[in-house]
Structure formats: structure tokens, C-alpha cells
């Protein structure tokens, strides 16, 4: 106990020191500029990381102390209770045996009773004191643990904030979302019947071609904290409402933003975003006007062409707007429905209410213009559809949806091929109804998928017949858009992004052209299905688990020939992917007794984790202190990440069978893991909502995100992107890994840094809004021992080395001999003296365009050879030349130009700058003038020897780096 207390005191002292350092770094960070921002940001993150690690160690010590105290309390309690009971028994027996003869009167018996009661009271008191001490100790330690946990949460919040500012993960886009709960806008472009569908996502929208429901493009995200609430389309423009603003898009780009005047809605606060409950929920475009219904019970009108706010209509508190429509041919009129079933006809030009219709005794959910003028279709919450003539205020027809399903959308068929007048409606239960307007009967009801039908799983928010076509488009919040043509079945063409019951899958590229290459595990199913990626269809094989229990996980061998299936009872079955035959079972009695949660196949030694595939024999067992909850295996590096129930992720080297790294930090169950393609990084997600990025070699946390719990995480094949799926999110979120693109200011050579003048610096200070980390300090020069490459692209360097062969291929071939007219036959075969069969020199004059540059650089070179600054300037001129001009420049050297040019090359080799460019120039120079160089003086030959040594020295620098990296890789592998 004393040792535990001393360790705890030492930890608390170190934590206080780190807190002081963190406060110091945080203060310095606020005042930092330029490269100091990265410096103090990194120091603060490191201090916070170390502090969190120490606090976790402190929690472990406190838990150990709690367990020790609890164990000691239990021992003390049982010992004390036993001693008390023994004492009472001894006193009682002693009293009754020793004084049996002499105690015959009443006072004697009373005295014995008192002593007996005293002993019992003493025992009870002793036991109560022990129990009270145990309770007090437990409460004290629990309070201490609670305080420490709060401290950990505070420090992790600070760390996450730091990680967000320094994180290497930046959200890119979301995949798999077809549409949201926002109604889809159908738009017609041109006169050839081209229809598009605008489907809103959270902060962007997708445009589909309705003909085949193929995605045309995804828009840019809007700058808003509120999600998109409604969309509308007009010609080539798309109007997107989010919060209190309407964003006007032309294709994928925002061209203007319309806002609700803050003074009208929010008084004098002047902040339109101060009340997050106010939002636009429906918009309608009429010419240059856009009319919006706002949740503050108003109608707002803008001129989107001039970007001016026009006017506003306010309604009484008892008339809560639910929807509105513009009746055809009713100029400057809108019909507004309410939650109490009333309808009001308004003139929005004069801001006057023309007429109020009687209530329908049910909230009005949708209003649609029918093909007939003056007739409006009204959908109510109790499942009624009413066709009403608003000019005469008379009902025409009435329909009732089954089960009183609320009417969420209405549309009318308008093509000439329709045998009867037809209406379609959608229900809140996912059903779609088709009605015969002539017979007033239901043609067909396509039930929702929850009811065994082919429609939707959630409420239908979009039902629309395409104008002039027998095509019906429906959409729902279940992430699907469906289209049907002249059919009662609503599954002809479907974009369906609903999640399926697949719980695990694996794929292999080895057999992609030969046989099935994907296996999927379905929830609560003992059958594993195969798929063919090339055909995009289900395969011919299905694998059944031998022990008849549900399959939990599946994996394909690297060769693609075998599939391994782990079951809920701990069995592992082996199948042939090509034939589908069952190849064997790994014995349960020598393996696992519970459900298989991780399964991986070794690519080097044909092992299934620790099993031999051919013999199906257990090779080795790696034991962990707690149960394993998940496994992630990296085939190339032969390492595995193992998540355990103690919230620790352990890295295991399969070759040596040892745990080489441990990562602590998650505060709830670890949901998923992924190793980067180079096995350098580990990505983990926890149920507490943290996604953490770990650097395996240094065992450090390098990034973290606070998101909804990520159920799955994965690296892309090149490591540039990370994909995550989340709770309550149907899509897959892509994150860009910016670590691959970050450039440290100190790594930029001084000669490449831009030092702005005072005027530019002042302008940068005004426009950067305090983002001082854009400045690059020139105080830190480049490391003179590092080889620096030129800024030339690789293709330019390769062109320099292969210029001669490229020029040969570009030379025009000799023109084919043509037989002149009116000559004897024997002259036609031999040619004619008048026939022009030779080259034209102008056709192969590839240096004319560079002649002026050539003369200029030669002149500069002659004038500046004695000055190194001039030499550097000339070298930069060579870098800027085209490959053909550079080749001509070097080949144009005279004998007197050799020595100064060799001086330039020698100095460049010593400085290790423009490495690959200098090597190309030396190659061209030696090739063009090699025969002349050997005839030069002895002094010049010595310079050539020095140049040779400088080239060898620069190569040794690279060679040492290659060998060092190879040694490190070999060390890590072994």
C-alpha cells in the first residue's frame, strides 16, 4: 500500500508539472507567429498526450488501490465477525459452565444476561464499524476515480481540439447517400424531354438524369451550420434552402445567397442565425420571384435575379402554415394550407387575403395543381385526398388511402397514352397508390417494403409523373429513388441506398478474371454468398457452415482459391472459391470455443492466424490478458492489430508471435480498426465517438476526430483517403489524409522561399485574418548535407536523357517516289531528274524558335563566368530552357567555354543542389564534347577528375540513405 501511495504521489507531481508546461505552451501559442505556431502546437499536443497517459496510469493505480482496500475490508470484516462470534460463544459457555453451581438466584442470571448482551453488542458494533469503514473507503475511492475520470475527459477534450486543428483527416465527401428526407425536385430542361432530379443531402445536393437515374454531378457543400431543408429547380438553376438562407446554384457552384432580413425576424439582435429553430421548409420559384415558407409562420419573397428581398406575409398564430401552391392562371396568387385544416388564398403582390376556405378538420400536408384549371388536389393527415374547385368552393371528388395513411405527395398523369385519367399519391407508411379518376376507384396499391410490397420502407415524400411521359418517379427518406414506366410494379429502375443485412465481407483481386472474388456474410445466416466483381452480380456458389450456426466472419486467401468462414460456435470452415467444394474444418476442440470475431490469412507461410491450412493443425497460440473483440491483419507486413475488452489495441508480430505495441486511449468498446497500406498507421474507432489515428513505429497518437460512433473504418489502397461509416448515417464518409500533403516550412530550401515586401506583407496581414502560419521564416536555412532536387517534373528529366532518340523518331521519312506524268515506263521506275525526292531542311529545323535564346545565354555566360552569382543565374537559365534548346545550348559550346562550364558543374555538385538536372547536363555535355575534352590541358583534366569525385561523393550520400532505409526495413521485418 505504501508503494502504491508513493507511486501515486509521484504521478500527481508529474501531472502538475505537465499542467504547468501545457499552460505555458498554450499562452505561447496564442502569441506565436509564423513557424512558432507549429512548434508550440506540437509541444502542447505532446504535453497533453503525456498528461493523458499519466492520468490513465493514475486511474490504474487508484483502481488497484480500490481492489486492495476492498479485499482488505472483506478480509477484516470476515475475520472480525468470526472473532466476535467466537468471543460471544466463549463468554456464554464460560458463564454457564463455571458459575452453574453458584448461580441460583435471579440477580445472577440477570448478570449473565447483561454480559451476554454486552458481548453480542460488542460484536455487532465491531462488525458495523468494519462495514462503515469499507463503505466510506469505497465512496472515497469512487469519488477519487470520478474526479480523475472527469480530469481525463477534460484533457481528452483539449487533446481533441488540438487534434482537430492539427489533425491529418479532413472531411472530403459522403458516399452512398441517394436522397434524404427532403422532397426531390424534378426539372425539365429543353424541349426534348430531358428531366433531372435534384436530391438534397446534408449540405450539398446530387443531380440525377431521370432517364436512367445516373448521377450527373455532386454540388459543392454550402457554408451553413444547418442542413438543407428543401430544394427547387428552375431551368439551369437550383435553389437550396438551409436555415434562414437560400443558396442559388448554377450547376455545382453557388452564384448568390438570399437571406432573411435579420431586423424583421429577430428584432434588433441583427443575427439571423441566433435562433436556430427558424428555418425555411418550402420554396417555390415563379419567374424571377422565389417564395419561401418559414417556420416562424411567415411567407418570404425575393427577386433571385436582383438578389433583393421583396416582401413578407405574416399569418395569425392559430393559422400555422404547412404548405402552399400557386394555382395555374392565378396571377400573383398562392393558396396556403394550415395545420388546422384551413385554406387561405392570398395575393402576394398586394399582401391581401382574398378568401378563406372552411376547415377540413385535419392538417393539410400537401397541395397540388391538377390538369384542370381552378381544381386543386388536397392531401390531409387522416388519409383523404380532395379535388376541390377553388373558384366556386365546391368539392369534386374525394378518395381515402387505406389505413388512413397520411397523404404526403400527389401527382397527375399528363401523357396522351393514358387510357384513363390517373392520379398517384404517396403515404407516410411507404405505400404508393394509383387512382382511376373517372371511376373514382383505386387501381393498385403498392405497399411499403415493411408490409411486403415493392415501394418504400419509409414515408414517400416525392411522387411525380413526368410531364408528357408515362413515367412515375417516387422518392422516400429510406434513401431510395424509384421510377416505373407503364407498369404497376415499382421496381423497374431503382436507385436504392438502403443498408442491407450484410455484416461482413471480404474481397481478393487474385482471381478477378477467373472466378468469384467476393464473399458476404449475412446477419443470422449460416450461408455465405459469393459475388463476381467483374460482372457486378452474385456468384454461383454458396457456402454453408458445417456446425449450422450463424456465420460471423469470412476471409479469402491471398491466392483467391480458398474462403474461410468463422461461425458463432467457434468453428472454421474452408471452401474452394472456384468449385464451391468444402475442403475441411478446423477442429473446435483444439481451437476456439466461442464465436469467431477475427479471421485473417497469412500471405507468407500459409497460416490462418496460427493454423496450418494444409494440415489444419494448430501451430501456436498467442494468449492475451483479456478476451479479444476484433482482429485486423496486414498481409504484406505480417502484423495484426488486436482489440481487447480492456479497451487496448495490441499490435502483434505474427512471425515472432509477440506483442510489439500497445495503444490505450479509448473509453468505450472498440468498434473497428484498419491498418494503412504501408502498415505505418493504425486507425481505430470507439463507441464513445472518437476516431483515432496512431503512428505504429513511434507509438504515438497523431490525429483524432470527435464524430458519431464510427461502426467501420478503412484506408484506401493508396492511403490518401479514409472511409468511415457512422451510427444514424446511411452514407460512407470519406476523409482526406492531409498528412501526405503537408509541407513543413523548415523543409523548404531558402532559395525557394518567398519573402514578401512590406506592402505585400501588410496586405497579407489584412486579408489572412490572423492566419500567421502562412508566413515562412527565412532564418532556418536548408541542411547542407541533404541532396536537393530541381523543380523539374520527371517527364522533363526523362526527355533530356532520351532527346536524341525522340528526335530521330520525329524526323519525317523520305517521301515515296512518284512516277511523273507523260514519261516512258522505264524512267518511272528509276525516277526523274526533275522529281524532288529529298528532305526540305525547313521541315526539320527544330532550333529556329530558340536561336535568340541561345545567343542571349551564350553572351551572358561569356560575360559572367568570373562571378559565381552570374554562374548561378546562368544555371537557372539552363533550367528554364526547353529540352531541345538546352541540348542546342550545350552542343554549341566552344573550346573556351569548357573550363568555366565545368566550374559551374563542380560547384553545383559540391552544393548538392539540382541533383538530377546536373546529372542530365553532365551526360549531355560528355556525349557532345567527350572527344574534345580528352585533348585539353593537364589543368583541365584535373578539374574533370575533381568533377568525377564530386559526382561520386553526391552519389554516396544517396547510397547511404538507401542502405540505411533498407537496414531499417530489414530490422522491422525480422
Amino acid at each position: 500500500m505504501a508503494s502504491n501511495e508513493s507511486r501515486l504521489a509521484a504521478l500527481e507531481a508529474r501531472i502538475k508539472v505537465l499542467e504547468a508546461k501545457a499552460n505555458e505552451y498554450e499562452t505561447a501559442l496564442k502569441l506565436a507567429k509564423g513557424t512558432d505556431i507549429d512548434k508550440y502546437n506540437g509541444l502542447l499536443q505532446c504535453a497533453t498526450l503525456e498528461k493523458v497517459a499519466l492520468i490513465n496510469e493514475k486511474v490504474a493505480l487508484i483502481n488497484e488501490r480500490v481492489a486492495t482496500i476492498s479485499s482488505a475490508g472483506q478480509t477484516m470484516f470476515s475475520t472480525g465477525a468470526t472473532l466476535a462470534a467466537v468471543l460471544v460463544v466463549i463468554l456464554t459457555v464460560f458463564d454457564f459452565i463455571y458459575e452453574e453451581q453458584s448461580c441460583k438466584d435471579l440477580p445472577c442470571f440477570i448478570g449473565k444476561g447483561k454480559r451476554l448482551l454486552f458481548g453480542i453488542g460488542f460484536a455487532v458494533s465491531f462488525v458495523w464499524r468494519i462495514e462503515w469503514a469499507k463503505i466510506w473507503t469505497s465512496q472515497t475511492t469512487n469519488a477519487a476515480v470520478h474526479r480523475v475520470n472527469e480530469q481525463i475527459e477534460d484533457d481528452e477534450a483539449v487533446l481533441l481540439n488540438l487534434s482537430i486543428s492539427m489533425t491529418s483527416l479532413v472531411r472530403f465527401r459522403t458516399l452512398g447517400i441517394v436522397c434524404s428526407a427532403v422532397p426531390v425536385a424534378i426539372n425539365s430542361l429543353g424541349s426534348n424531354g430531358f428531366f433531372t432530379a435534384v436530391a438534397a443531402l446534408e449540405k450539398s445536393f446530387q443531380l440525377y438524369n431521370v432517364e436512367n437515374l445516373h448521377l450527373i454531378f455532386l454540388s459543392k457543400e454550402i457554408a451553413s451550420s444547418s442542413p438543407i431543408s428543401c430544394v427547387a429547380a428552375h431551368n439551369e438553376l437550383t435553389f437550396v434552402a438551409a436555415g434562414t438562407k437560400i443558396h442559388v446554384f448554377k450547376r455545382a457552384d453557388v452564384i448568390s445567397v438570399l437571406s432573411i432580413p435579420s431586423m424583421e425576424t429577430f428584432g434588433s439582435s441583427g443575427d439571423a442565425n441566433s435562433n436556430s429553430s427558424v428555418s425555411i421548409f418550402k420554396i417555390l420559384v415563379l419567374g424571377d420571384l422565389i417564395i419561401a415558407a418559414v417556420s416562424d409562420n411567415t411567407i418570404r419573397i425575393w427577386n433571385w435575379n436582383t438578389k433583393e428581398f421583396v416582401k413578407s406575409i405574416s399569418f395569425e398564430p392559430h393559422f400555422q402554415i404547412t404548405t402552399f401552391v400557386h394555382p395555374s392562371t392565378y396571377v400573383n396568387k398562392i393558396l396556403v394550407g394550415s395545420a388546422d385544416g384551413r385554406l387561405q388564398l392570398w395575393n402576394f403582390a398586394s399582401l391581401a387575403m382574398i378568401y378563406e376556405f372552411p376547415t377540413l378538420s385535419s392538417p393539410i400536408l400537401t397541395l397540388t395543381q391538377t390538369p384542370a384549371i381552378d381544381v386543386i388536389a388536397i392531401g390531409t393527415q387522416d388519409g383523404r385526398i380532395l379535388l376541390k374547385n377553388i373558384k366556386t368552393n365546391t368539392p369534386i371528388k374525394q378518395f381515402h388511402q387505406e389505413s388512413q395513411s397520411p397523404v404526403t405527395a400527389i401527382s397527375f398523369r399528363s401523357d396522351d397514352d393514358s387510357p384513363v385519367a390517373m392520379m398517384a399519391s404517396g403515404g407516410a407508411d411507404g405505400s404508393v397508390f394509383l387512382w382511376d379518376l373517372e371511376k373514382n376507384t383505386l387501381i393498385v396499391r403498392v405497399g411499403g417494403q415493411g408490409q411486403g410490397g415493392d415501394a418504400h420502407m419509409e414515408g414517400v415524400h416525392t411522387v411525380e409523373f413526368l410531364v408528357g411521359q408515362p413515367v412515375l418517379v417516387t422518392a422516400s427518406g429510406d434513401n431510395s429513388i424509384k421510377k416505373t414506366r407503364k407498369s404497376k410494379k415499382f421496381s423497374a429502375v431503382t436507385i436504392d441506398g438502403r443498408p442491407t443485412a450484410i455484416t461482413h465481407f471480404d474481397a481478393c483481386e487474385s482471381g478477378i478474371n477467373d472466378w468469384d472474388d467476393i464473399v458476404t456474410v449475412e446477419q443470422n445466416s449460416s450461408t455465405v454468398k459469393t459475388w463476381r466483381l467483374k460482372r457486378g452480380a452474385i456468384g454461383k456458389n454458396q457456402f454453408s457452415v458445417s456446425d449450422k450456426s450463424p456465420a460471423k466472419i469470412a476471409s479469402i486467401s491471398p491466392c483467391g482459391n480458398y474462403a474461410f468462414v468463422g461461425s458463432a460456435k467457434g468453428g472454421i470452415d474452408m471452401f474452394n472459391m472456384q468449385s464451391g467444394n468444402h475442403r475441411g474444418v478446423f477442429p473446435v476442440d483444439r481451437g476456439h470455443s466461442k464465436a469467431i470475431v477475427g479471421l485473417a490469412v497469412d500471405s507468407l507461410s500459409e497460416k490462418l492466424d496460427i493454423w496450418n491450412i494444409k494440415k489444419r493443425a494448430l501451430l501456436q497460440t498467442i494468449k492475451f490478458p483479456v478476451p479479444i473483440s476484433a482482429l485486423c491483419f496486414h498481409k504484406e507486413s505480417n502484423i495484426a492489430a488486436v482489440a481487447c475488452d480492456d479497451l487496448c489495441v495490441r499490435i502483434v508480430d505474427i512471425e515472432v508471435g509477440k506483442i510489439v505495441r500497445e495503444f490505450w486511449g479509448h473509453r468505450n468498446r472498440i468498434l473497428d480498426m484498419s491498418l494503412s497500406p504501408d502498415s505505418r498507421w493504425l486507425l481505430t474507432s470507439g463507441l464513445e465517438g472518437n476516431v483515432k489515428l496512431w503512428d505504429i513505429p513511434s507509438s504515438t497518437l497523431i490525429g483524432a476526430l470527435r464524430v458519431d460512433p464510427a461502426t467501420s473504418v478503412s484506408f484506401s489502397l493508396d492511403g490518401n483517403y479514409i472511409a468511415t461509416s457512422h451510427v444514424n448515417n446511411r452514407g460512407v464518409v470519406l476523409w482526406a489524409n492531409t498528412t501526405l500533403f503537408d509541407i513543413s516550412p523548415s523543409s523548404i530550401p531558402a532559395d525557394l522561399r518567398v519573402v514578401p515586401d512590406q506592402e505585400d506583407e501588410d496586405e497579407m496581414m489584412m486579408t489572412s485574418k490572423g492566419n500567421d502560419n502562412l508566413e515562412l521564416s527565412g532564418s532556418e536555412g536548408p541542411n547542407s548535407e541533404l541532396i536537393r532536387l530541381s523543380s523539374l517534373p520527371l517527364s522533363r528529366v526523362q526527355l533530356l536523357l532520351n532527346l536524341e532518340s525522340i528526335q530521330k523518331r520525329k524526323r519525317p521519312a523520305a517521301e515515296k517516289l512518284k512516277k511523273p506524268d507523260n514519261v516512258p515506263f522505264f524512267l518511272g521506275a528509276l525516277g526523274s531528274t526533275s522529281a524532288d525526292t529529298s528532305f526540305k531542311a525547313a521541315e526539320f529545323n527544330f532550333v529556329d524558335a530558340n536561336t535568340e535564346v541561345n545567343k542571349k545565354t551564350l553572351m551572358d555566360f561569356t560575360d559572367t563566368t568570373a562571378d559565381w552569382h552570374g554562374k548561378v543565374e546562368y544555371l537557372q537559365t539552363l533550367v528554364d530552357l526547353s529540352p531541345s534548346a538546352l541540348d542546342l545550348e550545350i552542343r554549341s559550346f566552344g573550346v573556351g567555354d569548357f573550363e568555366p562550364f565545368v566550374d559551374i558543374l563542380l560547384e553545383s555538385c559540391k552544393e548538392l543542389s539540382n541533383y538530377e538536372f546536373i546529372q542530365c547536363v553532365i551526360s549531355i555535355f560528355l556525349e557532345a564534347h567527350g572527344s574534345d575534352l580528352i585533348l585539353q590541358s593537364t589543368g583541365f583534366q584535373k578539374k574533370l577528375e575533381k568533377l568525377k569525385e564530386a559526382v561520386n561523393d553526391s552519389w554516396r550520400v544517396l547510397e547511404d540513405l538507401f542502405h540505411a532505409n533498407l537496414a531499417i526495413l530489414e530490422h522491422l521485418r525480422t
Side-chain angles (χ1 to χ4, degrees):
M1 182 67 71
S3 175
N4 189 295
E5 292 292 340
S6 61
R7 289 170 59 193
L8 194 59
L11 280 175
E12 290 177 348
R14 291 173 61 190
I15 290 173
K16 289 181 179 179
V17 172
L18 286 173
E19 285 179 348
K21 284 187 178 181
N23 293 333
E24 179 184 351
Y25 294 149
E26 189 172 2
T27 304
L29 180 61
K30 294 178 180 178
L31 303 176
K33 293 183 179 180
T35 56
D36 289 340
I37 292 180
D38 292 335
K39 171 185 174 183
Y40 288 111
N41 213 344
L43 289 174
L44 180 57
Q45 188 185 31
C46 292
T48 310
L49 281 170
E50 187 175 356
K51 180 182 173 185
V52 170
L54 291 178
I55 293 176
N56 282 323
E57 188 175 351
K58 179 180 176 181
V59 170
L61 287 177
I62 292 178
N63 288 331
E64 183 180 343
R65 186 172 66 175
V66 170
T68 303
I69 293 176
S70 177
S71 176
Q74 292 287 351
T75 303
M76 188 182 299
F77 174 78
S78 58
T79 304
T82 303
L83 290 175
V86 171
L87 179 61
V88 170
V89 172
I90 291 174
L91 289 174
T92 305
V93 173
F94 177 79
D95 280 347
F96 280 92
I97 294 176
Y98 181 74
E99 299 183 2
E100 181 180 2
Q101 303 298 328
S102 59
C103 187
K104 296 181 179 179
D105 54 354
L106 183 61
C108 180
F109 283 102
I110 293 176
K112 287 184 178 182
K114 287 181 179 181
R115 288 193 296 271
L116 181 61
L117 291 176
F118 174 77
I120 295 174
F122 172 77
V124 172
S125 175
F126 185 73
V127 172
W128 179 83
R129 287 176 181 273
I130 293 175
E131 183 65 21
W132 179 85
K134 186 177 70 172
I135 294 174
W136 178 84
T137 304
S138 177
Q139 291 177 347
T140 304
T141 52
N142 287 336
V145 171
H146 180 70
R147 288 195 300 270
V148 172
N149 286 334
E150 289 181 346
Q151 187 177 6
I152 289 178
E153 291 177 358
D154 294 340
D155 288 324
E156 283 194 343
V158 174
L159 183 59
L160 281 172
N161 290 333
L162 280 174
S163 299
I164 289 172
S165 62
M166 299 181 62
T167 185
S168 54
L169 305 179
V170 176
R171 183 166 179 169
F172 177 55
R173 65 173 53 178
T174 303
L175 305 177
I177 302 296
V178 176
C179 64
S180 63
V182 176
V184 174
I186 307 296
N187 186 30
S188 175
L189 296 176
S191 58
N192 57 352
F194 180 72
F195 291 90
T196 60
V198 180
L201 306 183
E202 184 179 1
K203 293 185 180 180
S204 61
F205 67 87
Q206 297 179 138
L207 188 70
Y208 293 97
N209 182 354
V210 177
E211 177 66 25
N212 48 24
L213 290 183
H214 287 177
L215 180 65
I216 300 176
F217 64 80
L218 171 68
S219 74
K220 296 179 180 179
E221 289 195 351
I222 59 175
S224 173
S225 58
S226 303
I228 295 175
S229 54
C230 55
V231 295
H234 177 69
N235 295 333
E236 295 182 352
L237 301 180
T238 303
F239 300 85
V240 174
T244 59
K245 295 182 179 181
I246 298 177
H247 302 259
V248 184
F249 282 81
K250 188 170 184 179
R251 290 189 65 81
D253 300 319
V254 178
I255 59 175
S256 62
V257 179
L258 309 176
S259 301
I260 296 177
S262 57
M263 62 181 66
E264 293 188 15
T265 306
F266 306 108
S268 60
S269 66
D271 184 7
N273 295 323
S274 60
N275 191 344
S276 59
S277 62
V278 177
S279 63
I280 299 171
F281 62 88
K282 183 177 177 62
I283 54 178
L284 175 67
V285 182
L286 294 177
D288 290 343
L289 298 180
I290 180 167
I291 305 173
V294 189
S295 59
D296 62 354
N297 210 31
T298 60
I299 296 286
R300 309 290 179 131
I301 305 174
W302 291 265
N303 186 314
W304 60 263
N305 197 13
T306 62
K307 305 176 186 178
E308 295 177 351
F309 180 77
V310 179
K311 56 189 66 179
S312 173
I313 303 175
S314 299
F315 295 85
E316 61 181 6
H318 298 293
F319 188 91
Q320 292 294 324
I321 306 172
T322 55
T323 186
F324 68 93
V325 69
H326 167 64
S328 297
T329 71
Y330 283 57
V331 180
N332 297 335
K333 308 294 191 305
I334 55 173
L335 185 65
V336 184
S338 69
D340 60 1
R342 287 184 290 166
L343 287 168
Q344 291 182 358
L345 184 64
W346 281 77
N347 186 322
F348 57 79
S350 62
L351 300 181
M353 185 181 70
I354 300 174
Y355 186 77
E356 180 175 298
F357 297 87
T359 180
L360 299 178
S361 303
S362 180
I364 297 173
L365 301 184
T366 182
L367 295 172
T368 304
Q369 173 69 52
T370 68
I373 298 176
D374 301 328
V375 180
I376 300 294
I378 307 170
T380 63
Q381 190 171 358
D382 60 3
R384 286 182 294 162
I385 303 175
L386 297 93
L387 304 185
K388 190 168 189 175
N389 189 316
I390 60 173
K391 185 175 182 179
T392 60
N393 191 19
T394 55
I396 299 176
K397 296 178 183 295
Q398 182 169 310
F399 304 88
H400 292 270
Q401 293 190 162
E402 295 181 9
S403 304
Q404 294 185 343
S405 174
V407 181
T408 54
I410 302 174
S411 182
F412 295 87
R413 185 171 175 178
S414 59
D415 63 288
D416 298 332
D417 297 333
S418 177
V420 296
M422 189 179 298
M423 176 182 68
S425 64
D429 59 354
S431 301
V432 177
F433 302 83
L434 291 179
W435 307 88
D436 186 337
L437 297 179
E438 295 178 358
K439 298 180 181 179
N440 298 338
T441 58
L442 177 66
I443 300 175
V444 64
R445 172 183 179 269
V446 183
Q449 294 198 357
Q451 305 166 359
D454 295 329
H456 296 274
M457 292 184 64
E458 297 181 10
V460 180
H461 54 58
T462 302
V463 172
E464 187 160 348
F465 279 105
L466 300 186
V467 177
Q469 295 187 18
V471 177
L472 179 65
V473 178
T474 63
S476 168
D478 64 354
N479 197 30
S480 65
I481 301 176
K482 302 192 175 187
K483 185 189 76 169
T484 184
R485 178 188 295 269
K486 291 184 180 180
S487 174
K488 297 180 183 180
K489 293 182 64 178
F490 283 76
S491 57
V493 180
T494 303
I495 293 184
D496 199 338
R498 291 167 299 155
T500 61
I502 295 176
T503 58
H504 187 268
F505 76 95
D506 192 24
C508 180
E509 298 180 358
S510 299
I512 193 169
N513 296 319
D514 302 321
W515 49 80
D516 298 344
D517 45 27
I518 299 175
V519 290
T520 58
V521 178
E522 297 182 357
Q523 187 176 11
N524 298 325
S525 174
S526 60
T527 301
V528 174
K529 297 180 179 178
T530 63
W531 300 75
R532 188 76 174 273
L533 179 62
K534 188 175 182 179
R535 293 190 293 108
I538 193 169
K540 62 179 181 179
N541 299 321
Q542 292 190 3
F543 306 142
S544 298
V545 178
S546 58
D547 59 13
K548 307 302 181 182
S549 64
K552 304 298 289 186
I553 195 169
S555 180
I556 302 178
S557 63
C559 61
N561 292 323
Y562 299 100
F564 302 88
V565 181
S567 70
K569 292 183 178 180
I572 301 176
D573 293 271
M574 179 178 174
F575 299 89
N576 186 287
M577 287 290 293
Q578 186 174 8
S579 64
N581 295 333
H582 187 266
R583 294 301 187 188
V585 179
F586 292 80
V588 177
D589 55 350
R590 288 178 291 169
H592 302 277
S593 58
K594 296 184 179 180
I596 304 295
V597 296
L599 193 61
V601 183
D602 192 337
S603 61
L604 300 179
S605 56
E606 290 189 348
K607 292 185 297 181
L608 174 61
D609 198 4
I610 51 176
W611 293 85
N612 183 279
I613 294 177
K614 293 182 177 180
K615 299 179 180 179
R616 293 189 290 278
L618 186 64
L619 297 178
Q620 186 184 8
T621 300
I622 303 174
K623 294 185 178 180
F624 292 87
V626 292
I628 297 173
S629 59
L631 170 69
C632 178
F633 181 67
H634 193 271
K635 299 177 182 178
E636 288 76 15
S637 61
N638 218 28
I639 65 172
V642 179
C644 301
D645 286 350
D646 59 354
L647 309 183
C648 175
V649 179
R650 294 172 171 87
I651 304 297
V652 180
D653 189 329
I654 300 298
E655 286 189 356
V656 298
K658 293 182 179 180
I659 299 174
V660 294
R661 293 288 189 276
E662 289 188 352
F663 296 107
W664 298 82
H666 284 287
R667 300 182 55 78
N668 209 325
R669 183 167 60 90
I670 297 172
L671 299 178
D672 196 20
M673 303 173 295
S674 179
L675 288 162
S676 63
D678 58 359
S679 70
R680 178 180 178 84
W681 290 339
L682 171 67
L683 192 68
T684 61
S685 66
L687 189 59
E688 76 279 3
N690 291 335
V691 175
K692 298 190 176 186
L693 185 63
W694 309 87
D695 184 77
I696 295 178
S698 61
S699 298
T700 56
L701 176 68
I702 60 175
L705 293 170
R706 175 79 74 175
V707 292
D708 289 336
T711 56
S712 180
V713 294
S714 179
F715 279 95
S716 64
L717 291 178
D718 55 6
N720 292 343
Y721 297 96
I722 289 170
T724 60
S725 61
H726 301 269
V727 174
N728 301 324
N729 190 334
R730 298 181 188 273
V732 176
V733 182
L734 286 185
W735 305 83
N737 190 356
T738 58
T739 302
L740 303 176
F741 315 110
D742 287 346
I743 300 177
S744 174
S746 60
S747 65
I748 302 178
D751 55 350
L752 298 181
R753 299 183 185 179
V754 178
V755 181
D757 54 23
Q758 186 62 35
E759 182 178 352
D760 294 338
E761 189 172 357
D762 294 341
E763 183 179 356
M764 186 184 297
M765 289 295 293
M766 289 188 296
T767 58
S768 64
K769 296 182 181 180
N771 191 9
D772 296 328
N773 59 350
L774 296 177
E775 298 179 3
L776 298 178
S777 173
S779 60
E780 298 182 10
N783 192 335
S784 59
E785 297 180 357
L786 295 179
I787 286 182
R788 284 160 290 164
L789 304 179
S790 66
S791 57
L792 294 177
L794 180 60
S795 58
R796 181 90 169 269
V797 177
Q798 293 174 342
L799 185 60
L800 285 173
L801 295 175
N802 301 280
L803 184 61
E804 185 177 358
S805 59
I806 293 174
Q807 288 175 347
K808 289 181 180 179
R809 289 199 302 267
K810 282 188 174 182
R811 289 173 181 169
E815 294 182 4
K816 185 178 180 180
L817 296 178
K818 296 181 180 179
K819 178 180 179 180
D821 297 334
N822 301 322
V823 295
F825 68 92
F826 55 84
L827 293 180
L830 300 176
S832 173
T833 56
S834 63
D836 185 8
T837 60
S838 61
F839 282 132
K840 292 184 179 179
E843 295 178 356
F844 191 58
N845 187 4
F846 61 92
V847 299
D848 287 347
N850 298 310
T851 303
E852 183 179 353
V853 177
N854 177 43
K855 292 179 180 179
K856 179 179 183 301
T857 53
L858 281 175
M859 186 184 302
D860 293 341
F861 173 68
T862 305
D863 294 340
T864 58
T865 51
D867 181 22
W868 172 241
H869 176 73
K871 295 177 182 179
V872 173
E873 184 179 355
Y874 173 69
L875 185 61
Q876 185 59 42
T877 305
L878 293 182
V879 173
D880 295 336
L881 289 177
S882 65
S884 58
L886 176 62
D887 183 77
L888 177 63
E889 175 72 20
I890 296 175
R891 294 181 185 276
S892 300
F893 288 163
V895 176
D897 299 327
F898 290 168
E899 187 169 353
F901 187 67
V902 170
D903 291 338
I904 293 177
L905 297 178
L906 183 60
E907 196 67 28
S908 299
C909 288
K910 290 180 179 179
E911 286 202 346
L912 302 179
S913 61
N914 296 318
Y915 180 78
E916 83 283 20
F917 177 75
I918 295 297
Q919 303 302 315
C920 293
V921 169
I922 292 176
S923 175
I924 297 174
F925 179 65
L926 294 177
E927 180 185 357
H929 304 287
S931 58
D932 296 329
L933 293 177
I934 60 177
L935 302 177
Q936 300 303 311
S937 63
T938 305
F940 183 74
Q941 298 296 331
K942 292 182 179 179
K943 285 191 176 183
L944 290 179
E945 288 293 333
K946 291 182 180 179
L947 178 61
K948 180 180 178 181
E949 293 177 1
V951 171
N952 290 334
D953 291 341
S954 61
W955 165 246
R956 290 191 194 98
V957 175
L958 278 180
E959 191 176 31
D960 291 342
L961 289 175
F962 290 150
H963 287 307
N965 287 318
L966 290 174
I968 292 174
L969 290 175
E970 184 65 21
H971 173 71
L972 293 176
R973 191 183 70 83
T974 57

